[in-house]
Amino acid sequence: PQFSGTIVLADGLSEEAAYTAEDGTEKKDTLIKAFENVKDGGTITLLDNVDVDGEKIKITGPKTITLYGENHTITLTSKGICLPENVILNLGAADYTEKLTIKSIDDTSDILNLQGSATLNMYDNVTLGPSKAGAQPGGGTFRWLRCF
């Protein structure tokens, strides 16, 4: 039989994403840890809907990452996703048909912040928004700026 419950990690957080770590092993952890530890050229697959509260998702590069939604939603309750120089983030893929939604309920932060030569590739079945940060450049969806 398949397990259909929620696995809680030692720190009290739930497994939110599966990814391939730098050492080549398959891991399950929080979305923040997945972005921090995914290998270059690796994938992150959402296991559930994810609320990111109080932390900016910052990816260090150079690195290429593909994020698969598996019909789940990432809700940013404060701060956004930061793509610094030399990072390529693929949201979905050309042959991937499951949905991914990334939305923000924070009225002060954009969903995505891109810096310098960062690249965002967004494929079919991916939705960015809604975002409450309408007063931000780009209407709260994304902008180019220094990640901090």
Side-chain angles (χ1 to χ4, degrees), residues 66 89-96 120-127:
T66 300
L89 178 60
N90 300 306
L91 300 178
D95 58 348
Y96 184 71
L120 174 68
N121 297 310
M122 193 168 109
Y123 294 88
D124 289 341
N125 301 310
V126 174
T127 302

Side-chain angles (χ1 to χ4, degrees), residues 2-67:
Q2 280 208 320
F3 176 74
S4 61
T6 301
I7 297 172
V8 178
L9 303 171
D11 58 8
L13 301 173
S14 297
E15 288 183 335
E16 300 169 336
Y19 65 98
T20 306
E22 291 288 345
D23 63 6
T25 60
E26 296 296 319
K27 304 261 185 181
K28 292 181 181 176
D29 211 327
T30 65
L31 184 61
I32 298 283
K33 293 282 187 190
F35 272 113
E36 288 173 356
N37 297 307
V38 67
K39 73 175 190 169
D40 181 26
T43 62
I44 298 173
T45 303
L46 294 182
L47 301 173
D48 203 348
N49 293 326
V50 178
D51 289 340
V52 179
D53 187 22
E55 293 186 67
K56 180 179 287 277
I57 297 175
K58 187 169 182 182
I59 305 163
T60 57
K63 192 179 282 189
T64 299
I65 302 168
T66 300
L67 177 62

